[in-house]
Amino acid sequence: MINEFWFMDGYNIYIWPSYILTFFILIFLTFRSIYLSKKAKKMLKKLEELNS
Amino acid sequence: MFDWLANPNRFNRITNKIQPILLLASLITIILGLYFGLYDSPKDYQQGHAVRIMYVHVPSAWLASGLYLLLAISSIFYIVWKHPLADLMSRSTAPIGALFSLLTLATGSLWGKPMWGTWWVWDARLTSMLILFFFYLGYILLSNAFERKIDGSKSAAVLAIVGIINLPIIKFSVDWWHTLHQPSSLLKFDGPTIDGQMLLPLVLMIIGFCSFASYIIILNVKTKLIEKKCEALILKLNLNEISNIR
């Protein structure tokens, strides 16, 4: 049963890379956006401190 | 609507409420879509298990085209009404659209090899999708190519508007030309021709991908708004320094 799920009648070498690539892109987009957001917030805080 | 949202404070207030809903919706629908798509849906009578690539390929393709439409609309708003938020929206949308069009090409290639016997063919649908990717790249490069940001924004917005001609070509390429790519089975005047058991995971994944992209675009627009505030503060600090020296 599990073997059949992973093997997918021999199409596994096409199916799994498609899903891995998709989730790599989704995860990359999430982490990059969160990182840039945090970086910008930190920068704003620093500048506001300097300005006050 | 856009005019009303163009106020950054209002935009932040509204999106603060929408963002967690979008994130939750994308998580739930993608997890359910994965379960139904990989495990609980039948294999195709012709394509076998290879049909499961559809559950990531079609949502990516829809998103790549949909995001280009958003890019073009916000570019029109920027060119005509000069809304700064429209420019930020375009700049936040383009990289995400580019990645999803690249993903469409890659997953299409992985689907094409077992079905057509080739990774790539200069077919009308594939070629028009590649052109869409180039339009996205062109937008990103052009928007960052000028010393003055505003010059880049204007030129890139014009390119985005010109590129809208490619969207109907992508959609109708399978009807206008004889292509290897299969005709549309979801968006048809006489309803979808796809089996209900396959339609469910496909729709779930489309909703999941759209919610995810909306969440990321809003997050990126907010980041760009903060960066704008930073730029203004840096300018103010520099001016203060100059006046102190004088």
Side-chain angles (χ1 to χ4, degrees), chain A residues 26-49:
Chain A
L26 297 188
I27 288 164
F28 167 76
L29 276 175
T30 310
F31 281 100
R32 184 181 172 274
S33 305
I34 291 171
Y35 167 74
L36 290 178
S37 167
K38 277 187 178 170
K39 198 176 145 190
K41 278 178 189 166
K42 227 180 191 178
M43 177 84 167
L44 181 67
K45 207 178 162 190
K46 255 187 197 171
L47 286 168
E48 277 173 345
E49 278 170 11

Side-chain angles (χ1 to χ4, degrees), chain A:
Chain A
M1 179 81 174
I2 287 176
N3 257 354
E4 197 197 321
F5 177 72
W6 288 115
F7 191 61
M8 300 252 179
D9 291 345
Y11 289 120
N12 54 345
I13 53 165
Y14 305 106
I15 296 169
W16 294 117
S18 302
Y19 279 82
I20 290 166
L21 190 64
T22 302
F23 285 94
F24 172 76
I25 285 180
L26 297 188
I27 288 164
F28 167 76
L29 276 175
T30 310
F31 281 100
R32 184 181 172 274
S33 305
I34 291 171
Y35 167 74
L36 290 178
S37 167
K38 277 187 178 170
K39 198 176 145 190
K41 278 178 189 166
K42 227 180 191 178
M43 177 84 167
L44 181 67
K45 207 178 162 190
K46 255 187 197 171
L47 286 168
E48 277 173 345
E49 278 170 11
L50 273 175
N51 195 38
S52 60

